[in-house]
Amino acid sequence: MAATSAPRIGVLAIQGAFREHVRSLCLCGAETVEIRTREDLEGLSGLVFPGGESTVMGKFLIEWGMMDRVRELIRSGMPVFGTCAGLILLCSDILDHPGQPRIGLLNASVRRNAFGRQIDSFTTPLELCPFPTASGNPTDQPPLEAVFIRAPLIEKIGPGVEVLARVNGFPVAVRQGNVLATSFHPELTDDLRLHQWVVDMAGKN
């Protein structure tokens, strides 16, 4: 039997910990592409939007003619994972910056930097509730060590959004179909579960 080719996953590579995302995805068996041009989006089976400055990322996607293409790919069912600023970019409503460019396909309202400044960064174990595997079957999981750095806060979720983890009652990890997003930075730990979900889903895309 011929070996199955590795899913090809793109990581927006203009700022933030994109190299750490690339490392995690490679450890999960993916082929990775650093996304800097519209042409880099072609031939992908998954996308990752890392942390950084969500305003800069949104403007970059518009100025380089990528925003509409990214929305088209996600609407077609391509799995996408956004962390921290990537989560903000995916949300439909940015409460404190309503005019900010965003992808806007995650049915949630978010507030930027709501967990505090850089000095307020923290790490905490999270219970995933329970995390869905690529097969769609939820499985009990051990706590996930989550790193929060100038993290956004999801204040409201809409229909179709599943909460996977909470801090102080607020969602910090959510899933809506093929869209996965976290307020924290799983790429800064050795826990590969969230990246593995993206790779597994991309392998089916």
Side-chain angles (χ1 to χ4, degrees):
M1 181 182 295
T4 303
S5 59
R8 194 164 184 259
I9 299 178
V11 181
L12 188 66
I14 59 170
Q15 57 175 211
F18 64 87
R19 293 183 183 88
E20 288 78 1
H21 277 292
V22 166
R23 172 187 172 275
S24 296
L25 292 166
C26 288
L27 288 172
C28 293
E31 174 190 352
T32 59
V33 178
E34 294 184 4
I35 304 298
R36 295 187 179 91
T37 70
R38 194 180 191 283
E39 289 71 28
D40 295 332
L41 293 170
E42 301 312 313
L44 299 179
S45 49
L47 276 169
V48 172
F49 294 100
E53 295 290 340
S54 57
T55 304
V56 172
M57 293 163 67
K59 289 180 178 178
F60 177 85
L61 291 177
I62 290 174
E63 290 174 5
W64 288 87
M66 289 194 273
M67 186 69 85
D68 288 342
R69 180 58 177 153
V70 165
R71 290 192 185 112
E72 180 184 347
L73 290 170
I74 297 172
R75 287 188 177 115
S76 73
M78 178 180 288
V80 60
F81 182 23
T83 63
C84 198
L87 176 149
I88 296 169
L89 195 62
L90 288 167
C91 282
S92 57
D93 185 20
I94 303 172
L95 295 171
D96 45 346
H97 291 80
Q100 177 180 324
R102 85 289 305 269
I103 297 167
L105 296 181
L106 176 62
N107 190 9
S109 300
V110 66
R111 190 174 301 278
R112 302 185 342 174
N113 303 334
F115 279 97
R117 298 173 296 169
Q118 190 90 10
I119 196 172
D120 301 310
S121 301
F122 65 97
T123 301
T124 188
L126 294 180
E127 296 289 340
L128 295 172
C129 319
F131 188 69
T133 62
S135 65
N137 299 318
T139 57
D140 291 330
Q141 301 282 347
L144 182 150
E145 199 70 14
V147 179
F148 290 80
I149 304 171
R150 296 176 60 212
L153 179 69
I154 300 173
E155 292 198 4
K156 182 180 179 182
I157 59 171
V161 178
E162 176 187 8
V163 177
L164 303 177
R166 296 179 184 270
V167 168
N168 298 330
F170 289 100
V172 294
V174 295
R175 178 194 179 206
Q176 180 182 331
N178 57 308
V179 178
L180 178 67
T182 64
S183 296
F184 54 90
H185 293 268
E187 75 280 7
L188 299 182
T189 75
D190 293 327
D191 194 317
L192 299 174
R193 277 176 280 172
L194 297 169
H195 290 89
Q196 190 66 61
W197 178 87
V198 179
V199 173
D200 291 346
M201 291 293 290
K204 298 169 63 178
N205 188 42

